Amino acid sequence: MRKYKPNKSIKGRRFTAFRRKFFEVLDLPEDCLGDVLRVTMISNSKVLIENYGIVYSYLDGCIEFQSQSFILKITGKHLEIRGITDERVMVYGEISQISVS
Amino acid sequence: MRTNTVKLRIEGRNIERFINDSVKQGISLHNTCRVAPSNIMYINAITATIALKDFYPAVSIIKKHRLRMHIEKKKGFRFFLAKNKSRYVLIWGWLIILLALFLLSQRVWFVEVKGCYEIEQAEVYALLEEYGVFPGIVAKTELLKELPGKLRSADERIAWAGVRLIGVKLYVSIVEAELPPNTNFPTEPRNLYAKSDGVVVDIIATKGIPMVKKGAAVKKGDILISGDISTETVEAYVRAEGKVIGRVLYTFAYDAPPAIQKLVRSGESKTYTSATLFGITVKPKPYGEAEIESNEKRRLVNCFFPIIFETETAYELVMGEATPEAEELKQYALIHAEELMLASLSKECRIVSKKSETVLLENGGVRAIISVVVEESLIND
């Protein structure tokens, strides 16, 4: 499986670091940055993941998304990617576990 | 709303790459779920729904990653059109039917008039027809707006008129005007008289003064309710109205001659066999009126169907004079006396008691006498 590498130059990385620092100083929530992983779970049947990166693996009862620095793993039954765009993905099914590694 | 969509089944090793590349190229995948692969060699399999416009870009990604693709379902108007391209007669037929339905729905096909009591419905229908409202007209808004006013002005008995069009049915509601009561009082008393002898059971006078009491015996022509309501100083008369119920005795008699007309055997007879299966009987009808005598009944043995054969003899009956027994003659006379009674009594009356007797006449005939006491209105209509 190929690795997810965000295509950013040194300049871009420096700007991101600066932005992060700026938000920290102003005590603003981190998710306002726009490029951080955000998981919204509705009951145990729906999960909305924003800035998920790429689909790392799609197996029976397990879907893995590789973000910038970690892998998000969703485990459950009858998992279905109901809708997917380059920014967000909606997963339906009987979700039993969400883990980050 | 996605109108034209394709459901694909994609099999192979690099399913995730297909998903990621599709997303990168702006292809939106919907209802993506894993399914069992059709062949164990393909390892992974998913089904996904994509828009028709994204189909060819998706095919190029599938080819790039050496995946196998199968179209499972096509949904949308463009697919419907492509499928029914050769069935142009059917499509044109449907279009013509829809157009005809649309055109026919623009017209009024039924007209219903409500609220008529004093005014005849036929009069209102005639008025409507005069103003150009009849089944088959185009439901023009101006015409329907003007219609209530026209109806009101056409007949003074119509106090209000309303028109409501529901679908192809036009409802015309009418409210009748209450005409002023008649103020012309009679110049002489209008009394209610007894139409027959009897005993008063109940009396209610709504206008006028009752002249008899409950239990009183009255004769034909007696005043029951008087229309003279004058006092010592003032003269006043009304049209007497009310209800008087009384018990009246009626007697009906019928003389039956010794010889009566009835159906008798002519002497002709025929024997035939009828067949019955599941309650359905097949048999000839030799005479118009006949007396049937059953002779023999046989069931068909060793047969799956329960067929029954019956031998019958039909005796022809014709109208002729017969001299019946005394008992039969009494019954005959009583039946005719009862028929006479039912024909003579009014339908509103209630029979309180009934007594019937028969007397033998000198000529051998029988006289049946029925005496009934009925409760009925004593007022002469």
Side-chain angles (χ1 to χ4, degrees), chain A residues 20-99:
Chain A
R20 207 178 287 274
K21 198 82 179 168
F22 181 72
F23 270 70
E24 205 178 306
V25 168
L26 292 177
D27 205 18
L28 288 166
E30 207 176 339
D31 57 350
C32 291
L33 280 167
D35 56 352
V36 290
L37 184 80
R38 186 173 172 170
V39 180
T40 313
M41 191 168 173
I42 304 155
S43 178
N44 68 335
S45 58
K46 293 167 198 170
V47 177
L48 173 71
I49 306 154
E50 288 167 84
N51 301 313
Y52 65 93
I54 59 162
V55 179
Y56 187 68
S57 77
Y58 186 11
L59 302 169
D60 264 340
C62 172
I63 303 174
E64 288 180 342
F65 299 99
Q66 190 188 18
S67 187
Q68 283 176 24
S69 48
F70 46 80
I71 292 172
L72 179 82
K73 189 176 177 183
I74 298 170
T75 320
K77 280 182 191 173
H78 314 299
L79 295 179
E80 184 185 330
I81 299 172
R82 191 56 73 91
I84 183 166
T85 62
D86 57 347
E87 276 188 0
R88 58 184 68 182
V89 59
M90 193 84 186
V91 178
Y92 277 52
E94 287 175 37
I95 296 153
S96 56
Q97 195 181 351
I98 296 176
S99 60

Side-chain angles (χ1 to χ4, degrees), chain B residues 32-48:
Chain B
T32 311
C33 62
R34 272 186 73 94
V35 287
S38 60
N39 192 326
I40 199 160
M41 280 172 68
Y42 296 129
I43 302 172
N44 293 323
I46 59 161
T47 57

